[in-house]
Amino acid sequence: MAAVAGQVTNKGEGAVLSDRAYNAIAETFRALADPTRARIVHLLSFGESSVNHLAENLTVTPSAVSHQLRMLRQMGLVRFRREGQLAFYALDDPHVAILFQEAREHVSDYLQEGRKSREWL
Amino acid sequence: MAAVAGQVTNKGEGAVLSDRAYNAIAETFRALADPTRARIVHLLSFGESSVNHLAENLTVTPSAVSHQLRMLRQMGLVRFRREGQLAFYALDDPHVAILFQEAREHVSDYLQEGRKSREWL
DNA sequence: TCGATATCTGAGCACCTGCTCAGATATCCA
DNA sequence: TGGATATCTGAGCAGGTGCTCAGATATCGA
């Protein structure tokens, strides 16, 4: 405890955001913080896709994909439309694809500094 | 199971990445997927800061901050230098600040669509 | 209507995460 | 050296996450 009890918090040192802002931002990152969801988002960046099509390409059960898609939907990253028996999902926000690409470049740069190999990019 | 057993995986449908690539990308997002770490990264985007200074501004114990900083360090998002008793941390990659800003804009756009208020931005 | 296919959903479980707590380590200064 | 301050670290715990499993729901075609 103790934790330097004085000095409550942010004064005028910049544009400190509210707790709700940081929570929402963290939640956005959390949506992409899982390999399966990252794969889903990357596939959807090429265009909309059905649940089974995603499951096939990801070698994951349709159930698991459906669970993850629900999460992405609740977080506002994807939208879906129904066409007969099929449910087509697509990215709902251009920022999502940008985020993915930016993270991909960060990883590329990071690995390029010689800490690991990068033959997979 | 079953999972549409046929059709192994990615054919030529685009630039599908390797498992290691998706894991690394997801790990990058995971680094920012926590409100405390998001706050830390945002504060560091204004310049380097000591552990206690971060702890004061975040109203979190120095111990918790130190744990999170170690994680961010291991993930290659921050670097640090020691000056006497103090350890100053700073962002180690321009992509990190860009990622944060992009997520902030996504959240802003998302909330602007009327699903929630956004008086905190 | 019936069977086949596609998707969704809740329960349960193994694993992971972030925090606190207690103590270790490191640096400065008297 | 000894005390004060700053930071680090491992153990442990409460809560969260992603998957599987079983079953429900929905749509199409015969």
Side-chain angles (χ1 to χ4, degrees), chain A residues 30 34 36-37 61 63 67-68 71 84-85:
Chain A
R30 198 161 55 81
D34 172 77
T36 298
R37 287 195 297 276
T61 66
S63 175
H67 277 296
Q68 300 291 27
M71 186 178 187
Q85 301 176 322

Side-chain angles (χ1 to χ4, degrees), chain A residues 43-113:
Chain A
L43 281 180
L44 292 182
S45 72
F46 299 128
E48 68 176 9
S49 178
S50 71
V51 177
N52 263 347
H53 184 248
L54 289 170
E56 291 168 26
N57 281 282
L58 304 178
T59 323
V60 175
T61 66
S63 175
V65 173
S66 181
H67 277 296
Q68 300 291 27
L69 285 171
R70 173 165 53 163
M71 186 178 187
L72 291 171
R73 214 168 55 218
Q74 290 172 339
M75 289 176 165
L77 301 199
V78 305
R79 58 183 155 74
F80 84 111
R81 65 184 179 85
R82 195 166 258 291
E83 188 173 315
Q85 301 176 322
L86 303 178
F88 288 98
Y89 283 78
L91 297 186
D92 192 24
D93 183 330
H95 286 297
V96 178
I98 296 174
L99 274 173
F100 186 93
Q101 183 58 27
E102 202 67 38
R104 186 178 167 183
E105 288 174 15
H106 159 73
V107 169
S108 176
D109 290 359
Y110 174 62
L111 298 185
Q112 209 162 19
E113 286 180 18

Side-chain angles (χ1 to χ4, degrees), chain B residues 1 51-52 63 66-67 70 85-87 89:
Chain B
M1 37 214 81
V51 177
N52 262 347
S63 176
S66 181
H67 276 297
R70 174 165 55 163
Q85 302 176 322
L86 303 177
Y89 283 78

Side-chain angles (χ1 to χ4, degrees), chain B residues 61-81:
Chain B
T61 65
S63 176
V65 173
S66 181
H67 276 297
Q68 300 292 27
L69 285 171
R70 174 165 55 163
M71 184 177 189
L72 291 171
R73 216 166 55 219
Q74 290 171 339
M75 290 175 165
L77 301 199
V78 305
R79 59 184 155 72
F80 84 111
R81 67 184 178 86

Side-chain angles (χ1 to χ4, degrees), chain B residues 46-116:
Chain B
F46 299 129
E48 67 176 10
S49 178
S50 71
V51 177
N52 262 347
H53 183 248
L54 289 171
E56 291 169 26
N57 280 282
L58 303 178
T59 322
V60 174
T61 65
S63 176
V65 173
S66 181
H67 276 297
Q68 300 292 27
L69 285 171
R70 174 165 55 163
M71 184 177 189
L72 291 171
R73 216 166 55 219
Q74 290 171 339
M75 290 175 165
L77 301 199
V78 305
R79 59 184 155 72
F80 84 111
R81 67 184 178 86
R82 195 165 257 293
E83 187 173 315
Q85 302 176 322
L86 303 177
F88 288 98
Y89 283 78
L91 297 186
D92 192 25
D93 183 330
H95 286 297
V96 178
I98 296 175
L99 274 172
F100 186 93
Q101 184 57 26
E102 203 67 37
R104 185 178 168 182
E105 287 174 16
H106 159 74
V107 168
S108 176
D109 290 359
Y110 175 62
L111 297 184
Q112 208 162 19
E113 286 178 20
R115 300 177 229 208
K116 297 180 183 177

